[in-house]
Amino acid sequence: MNNIKISVVIPTYNRPILLQKCLQALAMQRLNKDQYEIIVVSDGPDSKTERLLNTWIKRRRSLNIKYFSLFTKKGPAAARNYGWLNARGHLVAFTDDDCVPDKNWLSAYLKSYRTGDKVAFTGKTTVPVPNQPTDHELNTSGLQFADFITANCCCPKGVLKMIGGFDERFTMAWREDSDLQFKLINEGVEIIKVETAQVVHPVRKAPWGVSIKDQKKTMFNALLYKKHPWLYRKKIQSRPPFQYYFMIGGAGLAFAGLVATSIPLIAVGGLIWAGFTGSFIKKRLSATAKTTRHISEMIVTSVVIPFLSIFWQLYGAVKYRVLFI
Protein backbone atom coordinates (compact mmCIF):
# COMPACT_ATOMS: atom_id res chain seq x y z
CA MET A 1 0.00 0.00 0.00
CA ASN A 2 1.33 3.44 -0.97
CA ASN A 3 1.13 5.88 1.97
CA ILE A 4 3.44 8.43 0.35
CA LYS A 5 1.76 11.84 0.29
CA ILE A 6 4.65 14.01 -0.84
CA SER A 7 7.88 13.32 -2.72
CA VAL A 8 11.04 15.43 -2.57
CA VAL A 9 13.15 15.63 -5.73
CA ILE A 10 16.78 16.79 -5.50
CA PRO A 11 18.98 17.10 -8.60
CA THR A 12 22.68 16.85 -7.84
CA TYR A 13 26.09 16.23 -9.32
CA ASN A 14 29.38 15.65 -7.54
CA ARG A 15 28.53 17.67 -4.41
CA PRO A 16 28.19 14.98 -1.70
CA ILE A 17 29.18 17.25 1.22
CA LEU A 18 26.42 19.74 0.42
CA LEU A 19 23.93 16.97 -0.34
CA GLN A 20 24.66 15.35 3.03
CA LYS A 21 23.47 18.49 4.87
CA CYS A 22 20.31 18.62 2.77
CA LEU A 23 19.53 14.95 3.46
CA GLN A 24 20.11 15.42 7.18
CA ALA A 25 17.54 18.23 7.21
CA LEU A 26 15.04 16.14 5.26
CA ALA A 27 15.48 13.23 7.65
CA MET A 28 14.39 15.54 10.49
CA GLN A 29 11.06 16.52 8.92
CA ARG A 30 8.15 16.67 11.35
CA LEU A 31 6.18 14.22 9.29
CA ASN A 32 5.74 10.48 9.56
CA LYS A 33 8.52 8.74 7.65
CA ASP A 34 6.02 6.66 5.70
CA GLN A 35 4.31 9.80 4.37
CA TYR A 36 7.19 11.18 2.33
CA GLU A 37 10.02 10.00 0.14
CA ILE A 38 13.31 11.53 -0.98
CA ILE A 39 14.40 11.07 -4.59
CA VAL A 40 17.97 12.07 -5.45
CA VAL A 41 18.85 12.21 -9.14
CA SER A 42 22.46 12.63 -10.23
CA ASP A 43 22.95 14.54 -13.46
CA GLY A 44 25.26 11.92 -14.89
CA PRO A 45 27.50 9.17 -13.45
CA ASP A 46 28.73 10.23 -10.00
CA SER A 47 30.48 7.63 -7.86
CA LYS A 48 30.85 9.90 -4.79
CA THR A 49 27.14 10.63 -4.64
CA GLU A 50 26.28 7.00 -5.29
CA ARG A 51 28.41 5.90 -2.32
CA LEU A 52 26.78 8.52 -0.10
CA LEU A 53 23.26 7.45 -1.06
CA ASN A 54 24.05 3.76 -0.65
CA THR A 55 25.16 4.53 2.90
CA TRP A 56 21.97 6.47 3.58
CA ILE A 57 19.76 3.74 2.16
CA LYS A 58 21.47 1.04 4.26
CA ARG A 59 21.52 2.99 7.53
CA ARG A 60 18.19 4.79 7.29
CA ARG A 61 15.88 1.88 6.56
CA SER A 62 12.93 3.76 8.05
CA LEU A 63 13.44 6.60 5.54
CA ASN A 64 12.01 6.25 2.04
CA ILE A 65 14.97 7.29 -0.10
CA LYS A 66 15.82 6.47 -3.71
CA TYR A 67 18.81 7.23 -5.89
CA PHE A 68 18.86 7.50 -9.67
CA SER A 69 21.57 8.55 -12.09
CA LEU A 70 21.21 9.84 -15.63
CA PHE A 71 23.44 8.09 -18.16
CA THR A 72 24.92 11.40 -19.34
CA LYS A 73 24.88 15.00 -18.13
CA LYS A 74 21.71 16.72 -19.32
CA GLY A 75 21.22 19.44 -16.72
CA PRO A 76 19.08 19.86 -13.60
CA ALA A 77 15.85 20.18 -15.61
CA ALA A 78 16.28 16.65 -16.97
CA ALA A 79 17.26 15.34 -13.52
CA ARG A 80 14.13 16.86 -11.97
CA ASN A 81 11.94 15.36 -14.68
CA TYR A 82 13.38 11.91 -14.03
CA GLY A 83 12.74 12.42 -10.34
CA TRP A 84 9.12 13.52 -10.43
CA LEU A 85 8.20 10.94 -13.06
CA ASN A 86 9.36 8.27 -10.58
CA ALA A 87 7.64 9.91 -7.61
CA ARG A 88 4.87 8.14 -5.70
CA GLY A 89 3.46 11.16 -3.90
CA HIS A 90 0.49 13.22 -5.06
CA LEU A 91 2.61 16.29 -4.32
CA VAL A 92 6.19 16.80 -5.52
CA ALA A 93 8.45 19.24 -3.68
CA PHE A 94 11.67 20.47 -5.26
CA THR A 95 14.82 21.71 -3.58
CA ASP A 96 18.53 21.83 -4.41
CA ASP A 97 21.43 19.87 -2.98
CA ASP A 98 22.91 23.03 -1.42
CA CYS A 99 19.72 23.92 0.48
CA VAL A 100 18.65 23.15 4.05
CA PRO A 101 14.86 22.74 4.47
CA ASP A 102 13.19 23.63 7.75
CA LYS A 103 11.73 20.80 9.86
CA ASN A 104 8.20 21.88 8.95
CA TRP A 105 8.90 22.33 5.23
CA LEU A 106 6.95 19.35 3.90
CA SER A 107 4.12 19.51 6.43
CA ALA A 108 3.58 23.18 5.52
CA TYR A 109 3.03 22.25 1.87
CA LEU A 110 0.78 19.34 2.77
CA LYS A 111 -1.40 21.54 4.98
CA SER A 112 -1.83 24.02 2.11
CA TYR A 113 -2.98 21.46 -0.45
CA ARG A 114 -6.43 20.07 -1.06
CA THR A 115 -6.62 17.02 -3.30
CA GLY A 116 -7.55 17.87 -6.86
CA ASP A 117 -6.76 21.59 -6.64
CA LYS A 118 -5.16 23.07 -9.75
CA VAL A 119 -2.45 24.88 -7.81
CA ALA A 120 1.28 25.09 -7.25
CA PHE A 121 3.21 26.39 -4.26
CA THR A 122 6.30 28.43 -3.55
CA GLY A 123 7.87 28.79 -0.13
CA LYS A 124 10.07 31.24 1.72
CA THR A 125 13.79 31.04 0.94
CA THR A 126 16.42 32.68 3.12
CA VAL A 127 19.94 33.42 1.85
CA PRO A 128 22.29 34.42 4.69
CA VAL A 129 24.88 36.99 3.56
CA PRO A 130 27.23 39.33 5.47
CA ASN A 131 26.57 43.06 5.83
CA GLN A 132 29.18 43.71 3.14
CA PRO A 133 28.61 40.84 0.68
CA THR A 134 30.57 40.12 -2.44
CA ASP A 135 28.89 40.66 -5.78
CA HIS A 136 28.32 36.91 -6.04
CA GLU A 137 26.74 36.78 -2.58
CA LEU A 138 24.53 39.77 -3.33
CA ASN A 139 23.31 38.24 -6.60
CA THR A 140 22.58 34.92 -4.89
CA SER A 141 20.64 36.70 -2.13
CA GLY A 142 18.20 37.83 -4.82
CA LEU A 143 16.69 34.34 -4.65
CA GLN A 144 14.91 35.50 -1.48
CA PHE A 145 12.75 37.85 -3.54
CA ALA A 146 12.12 35.66 -6.58
CA ASP A 147 8.49 34.77 -7.37
CA PHE A 148 9.17 31.09 -8.00
CA ILE A 149 12.38 29.07 -7.68
CA THR A 150 13.08 25.35 -7.83
CA ALA A 151 15.11 25.58 -4.62
CA ASN A 152 11.77 25.76 -2.82
CA CYS A 153 8.56 24.94 -4.67
CA CYS A 154 5.91 22.25 -4.79
CA CYS A 155 3.46 21.02 -7.44
CA PRO A 156 0.85 18.29 -7.63
CA LYS A 157 2.13 15.52 -9.87
CA GLY A 158 -0.97 15.86 -12.03
CA VAL A 159 -0.19 19.53 -12.69
CA LEU A 160 3.38 18.65 -13.67
CA LYS A 161 2.01 16.10 -16.14
CA MET A 162 -0.43 18.67 -17.54
CA ILE A 163 2.29 21.24 -18.30
CA GLY A 164 4.90 18.71 -19.41
CA GLY A 165 7.31 19.21 -16.52
CA PHE A 166 10.61 20.96 -17.11
CA ASP A 167 11.91 21.89 -20.55
CA GLU A 168 15.14 19.90 -20.89
CA ARG A 169 16.56 22.35 -23.41
CA PHE A 170 17.56 24.39 -20.35
CA THR A 171 20.73 22.36 -19.79
CA MET A 172 22.17 24.63 -17.09
CA ALA A 173 20.75 25.85 -13.79
CA TRP A 174 19.30 29.01 -15.32
CA ARG A 175 15.75 30.05 -16.28
CA GLU A 176 14.32 26.52 -16.11
CA ASP A 177 12.42 27.53 -12.98
CA SER A 178 11.03 30.66 -14.66
CA ASP A 179 9.94 28.55 -17.61
CA LEU A 180 8.06 26.22 -15.27
CA GLN A 181 6.46 29.21 -13.55
CA PHE A 182 5.40 30.76 -16.86
CA LYS A 183 3.89 27.48 -18.05
CA LEU A 184 1.88 27.30 -14.84
CA ILE A 185 0.65 30.86 -15.36
CA ASN A 186 -0.28 30.19 -18.99
CA GLU A 187 -2.30 27.13 -17.93
CA GLY A 188 -4.21 29.11 -15.33
CA VAL A 189 -2.59 27.35 -12.37
CA GLU A 190 -2.74 29.42 -9.18
CA ILE A 191 0.68 29.80 -7.54
CA ILE A 192 0.27 30.12 -3.77
CA LYS A 193 2.93 31.52 -1.45
CA VAL A 194 3.39 29.38 1.67
CA GLU A 195 5.47 31.44 4.12
CA THR A 196 5.81 28.55 6.56
CA ALA A 197 7.50 26.32 3.95
CA GLN A 198 11.00 27.59 4.65
CA VAL A 199 14.37 26.70 3.17
CA VAL A 200 17.81 28.16 3.87
CA HIS A 201 19.97 28.58 0.78
CA PRO A 202 23.59 29.21 1.85
CA VAL A 203 25.87 30.89 -0.68
CA ARG A 204 28.50 28.51 -2.00
CA LYS A 205 32.08 29.71 -2.16
CA ALA A 206 32.92 30.97 -5.62
CA PRO A 207 36.28 31.48 -7.34
CA TRP A 208 37.58 34.92 -8.28
CA GLY A 209 35.88 36.12 -11.46
CA VAL A 210 32.98 33.65 -11.27
CA SER A 211 30.67 36.20 -12.94
CA ILE A 212 32.65 35.81 -16.19
CA LYS A 213 31.89 32.10 -16.35
CA ASP A 214 28.25 32.72 -15.47
CA GLN A 215 27.66 34.79 -18.61
CA LYS A 216 27.25 31.60 -20.67
CA LYS A 217 23.88 31.13 -18.98
CA THR A 218 22.64 34.24 -20.79
CA MET A 219 21.94 32.21 -23.92
CA PHE A 220 18.97 30.61 -22.14
CA ASN A 221 17.37 34.04 -21.79
CA ALA A 222 16.73 33.83 -25.52
CA LEU A 223 14.97 30.49 -25.16
CA LEU A 224 12.80 31.77 -22.32
CA TYR A 225 11.97 34.91 -24.31
CA LYS A 226 11.03 32.84 -27.37
CA LYS A 227 8.61 30.73 -25.34
CA HIS A 228 7.14 33.52 -23.19
CA PRO A 229 7.96 36.97 -24.66
CA TRP A 230 5.32 38.91 -22.73
CA LEU A 231 6.04 37.31 -19.36
CA TYR A 232 9.78 37.63 -19.94
CA ARG A 233 9.54 41.39 -20.40
CA LYS A 234 7.15 41.70 -17.47
CA LYS A 235 9.00 39.59 -14.91
CA ILE A 236 12.62 39.15 -16.04
CA GLN A 237 13.91 42.07 -18.07
CA SER A 238 11.68 44.92 -19.20
CA ARG A 239 14.07 46.13 -21.89
CA PRO A 240 17.31 45.07 -23.62
CA PRO A 241 20.62 45.72 -21.79
CA PHE A 242 21.27 49.03 -23.53
CA GLN A 243 24.14 49.88 -21.16
CA TYR A 244 26.07 46.87 -22.43
CA TYR A 245 25.45 47.88 -26.04
CA PHE A 246 26.70 51.42 -25.35
CA MET A 247 29.85 50.03 -23.74
CA ILE A 248 30.49 47.72 -26.68
CA GLY A 249 29.66 50.48 -29.16
CA GLY A 250 32.07 52.88 -27.46
CA ALA A 251 34.85 50.31 -27.53
CA GLY A 252 34.10 49.59 -31.18
CA LEU A 253 34.20 53.27 -32.06
CA ALA A 254 37.55 53.70 -30.30
CA PHE A 255 38.94 50.68 -32.12
CA ALA A 256 37.73 52.09 -35.45
CA GLY A 257 39.52 55.31 -34.55
CA LEU A 258 42.74 53.41 -33.96
CA VAL A 259 42.44 51.68 -37.33
CA ALA A 260 41.68 54.98 -39.08
CA THR A 261 44.20 56.88 -36.94
CA SER A 262 41.43 59.30 -36.02
CA ILE A 263 42.02 61.02 -32.67
CA PRO A 264 38.41 62.35 -32.45
CA LEU A 265 36.95 58.85 -32.95
CA ILE A 266 39.30 57.39 -30.36
CA ALA A 267 38.41 60.14 -27.89
CA VAL A 268 34.64 59.91 -28.38
CA GLY A 269 34.59 56.12 -28.31
CA GLY A 270 36.90 55.99 -25.34
CA LEU A 271 34.77 58.46 -23.36
CA ILE A 272 31.57 56.52 -24.10
CA TRP A 273 33.17 53.23 -23.07
CA ALA A 274 34.84 54.66 -19.96
CA GLY A 275 31.70 56.50 -18.83
CA PHE A 276 29.38 53.51 -19.03
CA THR A 277 32.01 51.07 -17.72
CA GLY A 278 32.77 53.31 -14.76
CA SER A 279 29.07 53.58 -13.97
CA PHE A 280 28.76 49.78 -14.13
CA ILE A 281 31.69 49.28 -11.75
CA LYS A 282 30.31 51.87 -9.33
CA LYS A 283 26.89 50.22 -9.31
CA ARG A 284 28.31 46.78 -8.59
CA LEU A 285 30.46 48.11 -5.75
CA SER A 286 27.83 50.36 -4.18
CA ALA A 287 26.38 47.70 -1.88
CA THR A 288 29.20 45.15 -1.84
CA ALA A 289 32.54 44.51 -0.13
CA LYS A 290 35.31 47.09 -0.55
CA THR A 291 38.29 44.78 -0.09
CA THR A 292 41.19 45.14 -2.53
CA ARG A 293 40.53 41.66 -3.90
CA HIS A 294 36.86 42.33 -4.52
CA ILE A 295 37.42 45.80 -6.01
CA SER A 296 39.95 44.37 -8.47
CA GLU A 297 37.48 41.60 -9.35
CA MET A 298 34.70 44.10 -10.03
CA ILE A 299 36.94 46.25 -12.25
CA VAL A 300 38.22 43.35 -14.36
CA THR A 301 34.90 41.51 -14.68
CA SER A 302 32.96 44.72 -15.44
CA VAL A 303 35.19 45.28 -18.45
CA VAL A 304 34.66 41.74 -19.73
CA ILE A 305 31.01 41.00 -18.82
CA PRO A 306 29.25 43.22 -21.42
CA PHE A 307 31.10 41.59 -24.31
CA LEU A 308 30.54 38.03 -23.07
CA SER A 309 26.94 38.65 -22.05
CA ILE A 310 25.93 40.05 -25.44
CA PHE A 311 27.90 37.33 -27.25
CA TRP A 312 26.02 34.57 -25.43
CA GLN A 313 22.72 36.40 -25.75
CA LEU A 314 23.12 36.65 -29.52
CA TYR A 315 24.37 33.07 -29.61
CA GLY A 316 21.13 32.02 -27.94
CA ALA A 317 19.09 34.14 -30.34
CA VAL A 318 20.68 32.33 -33.30
CA LYS A 319 20.50 28.90 -31.67
CA TYR A 320 16.83 29.21 -30.74
CA ARG A 321 15.90 31.25 -33.82
CA VAL A 322 14.36 34.23 -32.11
CA LEU A 323 14.80 38.00 -32.53
CA PHE A 324 16.22 38.83 -29.12
CA ILE A 325 18.56 41.67 -28.28
Side-chain angles (χ1 to χ4, degrees), residues 16-78:
I17 295 175
L18 293 172
L19 179 61
Q20 170 80 348
K21 295 179 181 179
C22 181
L23 292 175
Q24 288 171 342
L26 289 170
M28 299 299 292
Q29 292 295 296
R30 288 176 176 162
L31 195 66
N32 290 335
K33 296 293 189 291
D34 62 346
Q35 292 184 318
Y36 72 99
E37 65 177 351
I38 303 167
I39 301 173
V40 178
V41 184
S42 177
D43 181 24
D46 182 353
S47 58
K48 293 180 181 179
T49 300
E50 185 174 5
R51 285 196 297 271
L52 173 66
L53 265 296
N54 285 338
T55 300
W56 268 84
I57 292 169
K58 289 176 183 178
R59 293 182 180 178
R60 303 269 187 161
R61 295 187 183 278
S62 62
L63 194 65
N64 293 298
I65 186 166
K66 297 178 182 177
Y67 173 69
F68 299 101
S69 176
L70 302 184
F71 291 112
T72 59
K73 280 185 67 63
K74 295 182 178 181

Side-chain angles (χ1 to χ4, degrees), residues 251-321:
L253 196 62
F255 180 76
L258 283 172
V259 173
T261 62
S262 170
I263 300 299
L265 275 182
I266 295 173
V268 172
L271 284 172
I272 293 172
W273 174 83
F276 281 98
T277 302
S279 175
F280 186 39
I281 295 169
K282 182 179 179 181
K283 180 181 179 181
R284 296 179 74 199
L285 281 170
S286 62
T288 58
K290 304 300 190 297
T291 63
T292 301
R293 185 176 188 272
H294 188 251
I295 291 172
S296 65
E297 181 182 9
M298 291 302 95
I299 292 172
V300 173
T301 57
S302 294
V303 170
V304 177
I305 282 174
F307 296 89
L308 282 180
S309 178
I310 297 303
F311 168 80
W312 285 112
Q313 182 165 297
L314 296 177
Y315 176 91
V318 173
K319 180 176 181 179
Y320 300 114
R321 299 179 182 179

Side-chain angles (χ1 to χ4, degrees), residues 169-172 174 214-226 241 245 248 306-325:
R169 289 178 293 176
F170 292 91
T171 54
M172 299 176 73
W174 188 253
D214 285 344
Q215 297 311 305
K216 185 176 182 180
K217 298 176 181 178
T218 309
M219 67 176 169
F220 295 109
N221 290 352
L223 176 57
L224 185 64
Y225 177 80
K226 180 178 181 178
Y245 285 109
I248 294 170
F307 296 89
L308 282 180
S309 178
I310 297 303
F311 168 80
W312 285 112
Q313 182 165 297
L314 296 177
Y315 176 91
V318 173
K319 180 176 181 179
Y320 300 114
R321 299 179 182 179
V322 58
L323 180 60
F324 180 65
I325 60 173

Side-chain angles (χ1 to χ4, degrees), residues 84 177-178 200 256:
W84 74 259
D177 44 6
S178 295
V200 176

